[in-house]
mmCIF file of all heavy atoms in Angstrom:
data_model
loop_
_atom_site.group_PDB
_atom_site.id
_atom_site.type_symbol
_atom_site.label_atom_id
_atom_site.label_comp_id
_atom_site.label_asym_id
_atom_site.label_seq_id
_atom_site.Cartn_x
_atom_site.Cartn_y
_atom_site.Cartn_z
ATOM 1 N N ARG A 242 135.659 117.667 -46.160
ATOM 2 C CA ARG A 242 135.949 118.349 -44.890
ATOM 3 C C ARG A 242 134.716 118.494 -44.049
ATOM 4 O O ARG A 242 133.831 119.235 -44.381
ATOM 5 C CB ARG A 242 136.640 119.662 -45.054
ATOM 6 C CG ARG A 242 138.104 119.526 -45.752
ATOM 7 C CD ARG A 242 138.743 120.899 -45.838
ATOM 8 N NE ARG A 242 140.059 120.696 -46.335
ATOM 9 C CZ ARG A 242 140.412 120.869 -47.597
ATOM 10 N NH1 ARG A 242 139.493 121.089 -48.488
ATOM 11 N NH2 ARG A 242 141.595 120.716 -48.079
ATOM 12 N N GLU A 243 134.593 117.754 -43.018
ATOM 13 C CA GLU A 243 133.355 117.846 -42.100
ATOM 14 C C GLU A 243 133.391 119.170 -41.423
ATOM 15 O O GLU A 243 134.350 119.667 -40.857
ATOM 16 C CB GLU A 243 133.400 116.666 -41.105
ATOM 17 C CG GLU A 243 132.161 116.685 -40.214
ATOM 18 C CD GLU A 243 132.204 115.497 -39.205
ATOM 19 O OE1 GLU A 243 133.107 114.643 -39.302
ATOM 20 O OE2 GLU A 243 131.367 115.503 -38.293
ATOM 21 N N LEU A 244 132.151 119.809 -41.384
ATOM 22 C CA LEU A 244 132.016 121.105 -40.780
ATOM 23 C C LEU A 244 131.605 120.929 -39.364
ATOM 24 O O LEU A 244 130.749 120.082 -39.033
ATOM 25 C CB LEU A 244 130.923 121.951 -41.510
ATOM 26 C CG LEU A 244 131.163 122.384 -42.936
ATOM 27 C CD1 LEU A 244 129.912 122.956 -43.532
ATOM 28 C CD2 LEU A 244 132.348 123.392 -42.907
ATOM 29 N N PRO A 245 132.136 121.707 -38.412
ATOM 30 C CA PRO A 245 131.683 121.630 -37.044
ATOM 31 C C PRO A 245 130.220 122.219 -36.965
ATOM 32 O O PRO A 245 129.766 122.893 -37.896
ATOM 33 C CB PRO A 245 132.689 122.605 -36.263
ATOM 34 C CG PRO A 245 133.187 123.487 -37.376
ATOM 35 C CD PRO A 245 133.195 122.663 -38.638
ATOM 36 N N ALA A 246 129.580 121.860 -35.900
ATOM 37 C CA ALA A 246 128.144 122.259 -35.765
ATOM 38 C C ALA A 246 127.884 123.733 -35.903
ATOM 39 O O ALA A 246 126.906 124.127 -36.573
ATOM 40 C CB ALA A 246 127.594 121.741 -34.490
ATOM 41 N N GLU A 247 128.812 124.600 -35.490
ATOM 42 C CA GLU A 247 128.597 125.957 -35.554
ATOM 43 C C GLU A 247 128.721 126.541 -36.911
ATOM 44 O O GLU A 247 128.443 127.691 -37.131
ATOM 45 C CB GLU A 247 129.536 126.736 -34.548
ATOM 46 C CG GLU A 247 131.044 126.611 -34.912
ATOM 47 C CD GLU A 247 131.698 125.347 -34.348
ATOM 48 O OE1 GLU A 247 131.003 124.492 -33.850
ATOM 49 O OE2 GLU A 247 132.958 125.434 -34.232
ATOM 50 N N MET A 248 129.261 125.767 -37.913
ATOM 51 C CA MET A 248 129.446 126.242 -39.275
ATOM 52 C C MET A 248 128.368 125.617 -40.154
ATOM 53 O O MET A 248 128.436 125.835 -41.408
ATOM 54 C CB MET A 248 130.783 125.957 -39.722
ATOM 55 C CG MET A 248 131.874 126.738 -39.007
ATOM 56 S SD MET A 248 133.578 126.294 -39.664
ATOM 57 C CE MET A 248 133.552 126.900 -41.363
ATOM 58 N N GLN A 249 127.386 124.885 -39.599
ATOM 59 C CA GLN A 249 126.400 124.238 -40.408
ATOM 60 C C GLN A 249 125.150 125.036 -40.398
ATOM 61 O O GLN A 249 125.013 126.145 -39.692
ATOM 62 C CB GLN A 249 126.090 122.887 -39.897
ATOM 63 C CG GLN A 249 127.349 121.924 -39.877
ATOM 64 C CD GLN A 249 127.011 120.500 -39.461
ATOM 65 O OE1 GLN A 249 125.768 120.100 -39.347
ATOM 66 N NE2 GLN A 249 128.027 119.786 -39.052
ATOM 67 N N GLY A 250 124.208 124.695 -41.260
ATOM 68 C CA GLY A 250 122.900 125.381 -41.337
ATOM 69 C C GLY A 250 123.037 126.746 -41.915
ATOM 70 O O GLY A 250 123.710 127.036 -42.830
ATOM 71 N N GLN A 251 122.405 127.701 -41.273
ATOM 72 C CA GLN A 251 122.315 129.156 -41.779
ATOM 73 C C GLN A 251 123.789 129.784 -41.741
ATOM 74 O O GLN A 251 123.928 130.758 -42.335
ATOM 75 C CB GLN A 251 121.370 129.985 -40.831
ATOM 76 C CG GLN A 251 119.892 129.553 -40.987
ATOM 77 C CD GLN A 251 119.308 130.015 -42.290
ATOM 78 O OE1 GLN A 251 119.935 130.766 -43.041
ATOM 79 N NE2 GLN A 251 118.084 129.570 -42.593
ATOM 80 N N SER A 252 124.714 129.190 -41.086
ATOM 81 C CA SER A 252 126.017 129.770 -40.969
ATOM 82 C C SER A 252 126.749 129.830 -42.296
ATOM 83 O O SER A 252 127.791 130.490 -42.373
ATOM 84 C CB SER A 252 126.858 128.924 -39.934
ATOM 85 O OG SER A 252 126.342 129.053 -38.651
ATOM 86 N N ILE A 253 126.166 129.135 -43.324
ATOM 87 C CA ILE A 253 126.756 129.313 -44.647
ATOM 88 C C ILE A 253 126.796 130.688 -45.104
ATOM 89 O O ILE A 253 127.733 131.156 -45.823
ATOM 90 C CB ILE A 253 126.123 128.383 -45.678
ATOM 91 C CG1 ILE A 253 126.917 128.348 -46.962
ATOM 92 C CG2 ILE A 253 124.703 128.932 -45.964
ATOM 93 C CD1 ILE A 253 126.310 127.331 -47.954
ATOM 94 N N ALA A 254 125.891 131.545 -44.594
ATOM 95 C CA ALA A 254 125.793 132.930 -45.004
ATOM 96 C C ALA A 254 126.791 133.786 -44.130
ATOM 97 O O ALA A 254 126.917 134.973 -44.420
ATOM 98 C CB ALA A 254 124.438 133.452 -44.677
ATOM 99 N N ASP A 255 127.448 133.129 -43.166
ATOM 100 C CA ASP A 255 128.393 133.895 -42.309
ATOM 101 C C ASP A 255 129.777 133.671 -42.688
ATOM 102 O O ASP A 255 130.702 133.895 -41.892
ATOM 103 C CB ASP A 255 128.147 133.449 -40.833
ATOM 104 C CG ASP A 255 126.822 133.869 -40.252
ATOM 105 O OD1 ASP A 255 126.276 134.789 -40.789
ATOM 106 O OD2 ASP A 255 126.419 133.191 -39.358
ATOM 107 N N GLY A 256 130.030 133.262 -43.991
ATOM 108 C CA GLY A 256 131.353 133.156 -44.505
ATOM 109 C C GLY A 256 132.068 134.557 -44.528
ATOM 110 O O GLY A 256 131.576 135.506 -44.175
ATOM 111 N N PRO A 257 133.314 134.520 -45.154
ATOM 112 C CA PRO A 257 134.093 135.788 -45.233
ATOM 113 C C PRO A 257 133.287 136.920 -45.966
ATOM 114 O O PRO A 257 133.520 138.053 -45.705
ATOM 115 C CB PRO A 257 135.324 135.381 -45.846
ATOM 116 C CG PRO A 257 135.465 133.911 -45.583
ATOM 117 C CD PRO A 257 134.038 133.357 -45.625
ATOM 118 N N LEU A 258 132.540 136.445 -46.927
ATOM 119 C CA LEU A 258 131.742 137.469 -47.746
ATOM 120 C C LEU A 258 130.295 137.171 -47.708
ATOM 121 O O LEU A 258 129.819 136.500 -48.630
ATOM 122 C CB LEU A 258 132.349 137.411 -49.151
ATOM 123 C CG LEU A 258 133.838 137.791 -49.294
ATOM 124 C CD1 LEU A 258 134.271 137.617 -50.745
ATOM 125 C CD2 LEU A 258 134.076 139.251 -48.936
ATOM 126 N N PRO A 259 129.542 137.650 -46.777
ATOM 127 C CA PRO A 259 128.149 137.321 -46.625
ATOM 128 C C PRO A 259 127.282 138.290 -47.560
ATOM 129 O O PRO A 259 126.249 138.767 -47.205
ATOM 130 C CB PRO A 259 127.845 137.750 -45.250
ATOM 131 C CG PRO A 259 128.787 138.895 -44.889
ATOM 132 C CD PRO A 259 130.010 138.639 -45.745
ATOM 133 N N PHE A 260 127.740 138.370 -48.874
ATOM 134 C CA PHE A 260 127.155 139.312 -49.777
ATOM 135 C C PHE A 260 126.238 138.641 -50.841
ATOM 136 O O PHE A 260 125.333 139.216 -51.387
ATOM 137 C CB PHE A 260 128.187 140.089 -50.527
ATOM 138 C CG PHE A 260 129.069 140.811 -49.671
ATOM 139 C CD1 PHE A 260 130.483 140.843 -49.956
ATOM 140 C CD2 PHE A 260 128.625 141.553 -48.578
ATOM 141 C CE1 PHE A 260 131.372 141.590 -49.092
ATOM 142 C CE2 PHE A 260 129.508 142.225 -47.709
ATOM 143 C CZ PHE A 260 130.817 142.210 -48.022
ATOM 144 N N LEU A 261 126.417 137.224 -50.990
ATOM 145 C CA LEU A 261 125.732 136.663 -52.072
ATOM 146 C C LEU A 261 124.464 135.955 -51.617
ATOM 147 O O LEU A 261 123.510 135.975 -52.348
ATOM 148 C CB LEU A 261 126.709 135.575 -52.733
ATOM 149 C CG LEU A 261 127.944 136.114 -53.367
ATOM 150 C CD1 LEU A 261 128.744 135.005 -54.014
ATOM 151 C CD2 LEU A 261 127.569 137.259 -54.354
ATOM 152 N N PHE A 262 124.499 135.398 -50.426
ATOM 153 C CA PHE A 262 123.311 134.602 -49.984
ATOM 154 C C PHE A 262 122.924 135.000 -48.589
ATOM 155 O O PHE A 262 123.787 135.191 -47.704
ATOM 156 C CB PHE A 262 123.622 133.081 -49.977
ATOM 157 C CG PHE A 262 124.359 132.715 -51.244
ATOM 158 C CD1 PHE A 262 125.599 132.106 -51.173
ATOM 159 C CD2 PHE A 262 123.703 132.775 -52.434
ATOM 160 C CE1 PHE A 262 126.221 131.732 -52.279
ATOM 161 C CE2 PHE A 262 124.327 132.353 -53.621
ATOM 162 C CZ PHE A 262 125.583 131.771 -53.539
ATOM 163 N N GLY A 263 121.633 135.263 -48.399
ATOM 164 C CA GLY A 263 121.135 135.560 -47.054
ATOM 165 C C GLY A 263 121.668 136.872 -46.499
ATOM 166 O O GLY A 263 121.896 136.967 -45.333
ATOM 167 N N ALA A 264 121.861 137.871 -47.329
ATOM 168 C CA ALA A 264 122.353 139.176 -46.895
ATOM 169 C C ALA A 264 121.399 139.733 -45.888
ATOM 170 O O ALA A 264 120.177 139.847 -46.047
ATOM 171 C CB ALA A 264 122.491 140.080 -48.051
ATOM 172 N N LYS A 265 121.886 140.265 -44.734
ATOM 173 C CA LYS A 265 121.092 140.918 -43.733
ATOM 174 C C LYS A 265 121.825 142.259 -43.431
ATOM 175 O O LYS A 265 122.970 142.344 -43.115
ATOM 176 C CB LYS A 265 121.037 140.074 -42.449
ATOM 177 C CG LYS A 265 120.273 138.820 -42.632
ATOM 178 C CD LYS A 265 120.066 138.116 -41.295
ATOM 179 C CE LYS A 265 119.206 136.867 -41.529
ATOM 180 N NZ LYS A 265 117.819 137.165 -41.938
ATOM 181 N N ALA A 266 120.964 143.359 -43.485
ATOM 182 C CA ALA A 266 121.537 144.652 -43.382
ATOM 183 C C ALA A 266 122.253 144.846 -42.068
ATOM 184 O O ALA A 266 123.443 145.379 -42.074
ATOM 185 C CB ALA A 266 120.406 145.691 -43.485
ATOM 186 N N ASP A 267 121.737 144.492 -40.973
ATOM 187 C CA ASP A 267 122.431 144.676 -39.643
ATOM 188 C C ASP A 267 123.684 143.917 -39.527
ATOM 189 O O ASP A 267 124.672 144.381 -38.977
ATOM 190 C CB ASP A 267 121.379 144.376 -38.472
ATOM 191 C CG ASP A 267 120.937 142.932 -38.410
ATOM 192 O OD1 ASP A 267 120.950 142.297 -39.486
ATOM 193 O OD2 ASP A 267 120.641 142.478 -37.335
ATOM 194 N N LYS A 268 123.741 142.699 -40.033
ATOM 195 C CA LYS A 268 124.881 141.929 -39.969
ATOM 196 C C LYS A 268 125.986 142.441 -40.801
ATOM 197 O O LYS A 268 127.193 142.454 -40.436
ATOM 198 C CB LYS A 268 124.595 140.456 -40.410
ATOM 199 C CG LYS A 268 125.729 139.520 -40.194
ATOM 200 C CD LYS A 268 125.375 138.041 -40.409
ATOM 201 C CE LYS A 268 124.446 137.584 -39.382
ATOM 202 N NZ LYS A 268 124.103 136.111 -39.418
ATOM 203 N N ILE A 269 125.678 142.923 -42.032
ATOM 204 C CA ILE A 269 126.648 143.552 -42.920
ATOM 205 C C ILE A 269 127.269 144.791 -42.228
ATOM 206 O O ILE A 269 128.501 144.976 -42.191
ATOM 207 C CB ILE A 269 126.045 143.926 -44.306
ATOM 208 C CG1 ILE A 269 125.763 142.646 -45.093
ATOM 209 C CG2 ILE A 269 126.970 144.829 -45.044
ATOM 210 C CD1 ILE A 269 125.047 142.926 -46.362
ATOM 211 N N LYS A 270 126.403 145.616 -41.609
ATOM 212 C CA LYS A 270 126.888 146.808 -40.933
ATOM 213 C C LYS A 270 127.675 146.505 -39.725
ATOM 214 O O LYS A 270 128.534 147.385 -39.300
ATOM 215 C CB LYS A 270 125.716 147.786 -40.658
ATOM 216 C CG LYS A 270 125.166 148.385 -42.000
ATOM 217 C CD LYS A 270 124.187 149.526 -41.714
ATOM 218 C CE LYS A 270 122.940 149.155 -40.946
ATOM 219 N NZ LYS A 270 122.019 150.257 -40.689
ATOM 220 N N SER A 271 127.339 145.446 -39.086
ATOM 221 C CA SER A 271 128.080 145.042 -37.878
ATOM 222 C C SER A 271 129.490 144.502 -38.223
ATOM 223 O O SER A 271 130.462 144.638 -37.323
ATOM 224 C CB SER A 271 127.433 143.958 -37.100
ATOM 225 O OG SER A 271 127.426 142.734 -37.689
ATOM 226 N N ARG A 272 129.729 144.071 -39.426
ATOM 227 C CA ARG A 272 131.045 143.439 -39.781
ATOM 228 C C ARG A 272 131.845 144.384 -40.659
ATOM 229 O O ARG A 272 133.076 144.252 -40.709
ATOM 230 C CB ARG A 272 130.836 142.129 -40.544
ATOM 231 C CG ARG A 272 130.358 140.965 -39.670
ATOM 232 C CD ARG A 272 130.162 139.654 -40.512
ATOM 233 N NE ARG A 272 131.370 139.231 -41.122
ATOM 234 C CZ ARG A 272 131.529 138.145 -41.804
ATOM 235 N NH1 ARG A 272 130.370 137.468 -42.068
ATOM 236 N NH2 ARG A 272 132.637 137.821 -42.367
ATOM 237 N N TYR A 273 131.175 145.345 -41.369
ATOM 238 C CA TYR A 273 131.906 146.215 -42.297
ATOM 239 C C TYR A 273 131.468 147.649 -42.182
ATOM 240 O O TYR A 273 130.380 148.041 -41.841
ATOM 241 C CB TYR A 273 131.558 145.734 -43.740
ATOM 242 C CG TYR A 273 131.908 144.215 -44.000
ATOM 243 C CD1 TYR A 273 130.823 143.354 -43.957
ATOM 244 C CD2 TYR A 273 133.162 143.786 -44.197
ATOM 245 C CE1 TYR A 273 131.144 141.958 -44.111
ATOM 246 C CE2 TYR A 273 133.383 142.567 -44.326
ATOM 247 C CZ TYR A 273 132.408 141.582 -44.334
ATOM 248 O OH TYR A 273 132.672 140.211 -44.472
ATOM 249 N N TRP A 274 132.466 148.543 -42.474
ATOM 250 C CA TRP A 274 132.216 149.929 -42.783
ATOM 251 C C TRP A 274 131.713 149.988 -44.208
ATOM 252 O O TRP A 274 132.438 149.503 -45.047
ATOM 253 C CB TRP A 274 133.454 150.817 -42.545
ATOM 254 C CG TRP A 274 134.121 150.744 -41.199
ATOM 255 C CD1 TRP A 274 135.224 150.194 -40.946
ATOM 256 C CD2 TRP A 274 133.551 151.308 -40.027
ATOM 257 N NE1 TRP A 274 135.504 150.360 -39.575
ATOM 258 C CE2 TRP A 274 134.495 151.030 -38.995
ATOM 259 C CE3 TRP A 274 132.427 152.084 -39.681
ATOM 260 C CZ2 TRP A 274 134.357 151.462 -37.722
ATOM 261 C CZ3 TRP A 274 132.269 152.476 -38.394
ATOM 262 C CH2 TRP A 274 133.248 152.191 -37.398
ATOM 263 N N VAL A 275 130.557 150.479 -44.408
ATOM 264 C CA VAL A 275 129.995 150.406 -45.793
ATOM 265 C C VAL A 275 129.648 151.831 -46.262
ATOM 266 O O VAL A 275 129.251 152.738 -45.400
ATOM 267 C CB VAL A 275 128.681 149.533 -45.873
ATOM 268 C CG1 VAL A 275 129.088 148.063 -45.675
ATOM 269 C CG2 VAL A 275 127.672 149.986 -44.871
ATOM 270 N N ARG A 276 129.786 152.110 -47.530
ATOM 271 C CA ARG A 276 129.337 153.358 -48.141
ATOM 272 C C ARG A 276 128.984 153.166 -49.547
ATOM 273 O O ARG A 276 129.417 152.143 -50.254
ATOM 274 C CB ARG A 276 130.575 154.336 -48.135
ATOM 275 C CG ARG A 276 131.764 153.920 -48.818
ATOM 276 C CD ARG A 276 132.793 155.073 -48.810
ATOM 277 N NE ARG A 276 134.055 154.668 -49.494
ATOM 278 C CZ ARG A 276 135.098 155.475 -49.747
ATOM 279 N NH1 ARG A 276 135.013 156.775 -49.340
ATOM 280 N NH2 ARG A 276 136.175 155.059 -50.315
ATOM 281 N N LEU A 277 128.184 154.008 -50.093
ATOM 282 C CA LEU A 277 127.794 154.032 -51.550
ATOM 283 C C LEU A 277 128.935 154.647 -52.317
ATOM 284 O O LEU A 277 129.446 155.707 -52.001
ATOM 285 C CB LEU A 277 126.541 154.850 -51.767
ATOM 286 C CG LEU A 277 125.243 154.033 -51.522
ATOM 287 C CD1 LEU A 277 124.031 155.114 -51.607
ATOM 288 C CD2 LEU A 277 125.012 152.939 -52.416
ATOM 289 N N VAL A 278 129.369 153.927 -53.393
ATOM 290 C CA VAL A 278 130.340 154.480 -54.309
ATOM 291 C C VAL A 278 129.859 154.397 -55.768
ATOM 292 O O VAL A 278 130.618 154.171 -56.676
ATOM 293 C CB VAL A 278 131.695 153.834 -54.132
ATOM 294 C CG1 VAL A 278 132.306 154.058 -52.842
ATOM 295 C CG2 VAL A 278 131.515 152.217 -54.314
ATOM 296 N N THR A 279 128.576 154.430 -55.959
ATOM 297 C CA THR A 279 127.983 154.320 -57.320
ATOM 298 C C THR A 279 128.507 155.450 -58.180
ATOM 299 O O THR A 279 128.375 156.628 -57.883
ATOM 300 C CB THR A 279 126.392 154.397 -57.237
ATOM 301 O OG1 THR A 279 125.959 153.429 -56.323
ATOM 302 C CG2 THR A 279 125.824 154.109 -58.654
ATOM 303 N N PRO A 280 129.152 155.122 -59.267
ATOM 304 C CA PRO A 280 129.649 156.141 -60.172
ATOM 305 C C PRO A 280 128.616 157.042 -60.751
ATOM 306 O O PRO A 280 127.492 156.579 -60.973
ATOM 307 C CB PRO A 280 130.345 155.317 -61.308
ATOM 308 C CG PRO A 280 130.545 153.957 -60.747
ATOM 309 C CD PRO A 280 129.427 153.733 -59.811
ATOM 310 N N GLU A 281 128.955 158.276 -60.924
ATOM 311 C CA GLU A 281 128.073 159.269 -61.493
ATOM 312 C C GLU A 281 127.592 158.758 -62.882
ATOM 313 O O GLU A 281 128.385 158.324 -63.711
ATOM 314 C CB GLU A 281 128.777 160.517 -61.653
ATOM 315 C CG GLU A 281 127.881 161.666 -62.059
ATOM 316 C CD GLU A 281 128.534 163.045 -62.112
ATOM 317 O OE1 GLU A 281 129.789 163.055 -61.654
ATOM 318 O OE2 GLU A 281 127.928 164.087 -62.521
ATOM 319 N N GLY A 282 126.326 158.877 -63.161
ATOM 320 C CA GLY A 282 125.783 158.525 -64.385
ATOM 321 C C GLY A 282 125.201 157.106 -64.471
ATOM 322 O O GLY A 282 124.550 156.691 -65.366
ATOM 323 N N VAL A 283 125.607 156.308 -63.509
ATOM 324 C CA VAL A 283 125.200 154.828 -63.404
ATOM 325 C C VAL A 283 123.784 154.796 -62.794
ATOM 326 O O VAL A 283 123.657 155.091 -61.599
ATOM 327 C CB VAL A 283 126.133 153.891 -62.678
ATOM 328 C CG1 VAL A 283 125.587 152.513 -62.512
ATOM 329 C CG2 VAL A 283 127.483 153.888 -63.399
ATOM 330 N N THR A 284 122.787 154.363 -63.475
ATOM 331 C CA THR A 284 121.434 154.349 -62.963
ATOM 332 C C THR A 284 120.839 152.972 -62.762
ATOM 333 O O THR A 284 119.724 152.880 -62.225
ATOM 334 C CB THR A 284 120.514 155.190 -63.787
ATOM 335 O OG1 THR A 284 120.500 154.626 -65.173
ATOM 336 C CG2 THR A 284 121.020 156.678 -63.863
ATOM 337 N N ASN A 285 121.511 151.983 -63.281
ATOM 338 C CA ASN A 285 120.893 150.619 -63.165
ATOM 339 C C ASN A 285 121.628 149.720 -62.119
ATOM 340 O O ASN A 285 121.281 148.506 -62.035
ATOM 341 C CB ASN A 285 121.069 149.952 -64.548
ATOM 342 C CG ASN A 285 122.497 149.748 -65.028
ATOM 343 O OD1 ASN A 285 123.408 150.426 -64.584
ATOM 344 N ND2 ASN A 285 122.730 148.833 -65.909
ATOM 345 N N GLU A 286 122.492 150.292 -61.349
ATOM 346 C CA GLU A 286 123.194 149.474 -60.314
ATOM 347 C C GLU A 286 123.394 150.367 -59.090
ATOM 348 O O GLU A 286 123.419 151.565 -59.101
ATOM 349 C CB GLU A 286 124.545 149.105 -60.834
ATOM 350 C CG GLU A 286 124.528 148.213 -62.049
ATOM 351 C CD GLU A 286 125.952 148.013 -62.688
ATOM 352 O OE1 GLU A 286 126.857 148.832 -62.394
ATOM 353 O OE2 GLU A 286 126.045 147.022 -63.479
#
């Protein structure tokens, strides 16, 4: 499946879940409501 020009290059990080590659704080916050939910007692994550 050929990708249109706007989906090529750095846009790979703009997929539905931009969490794995090229994470950018401002972009994540612009697309999602985010909060910390680290369970109590978990210190390595």
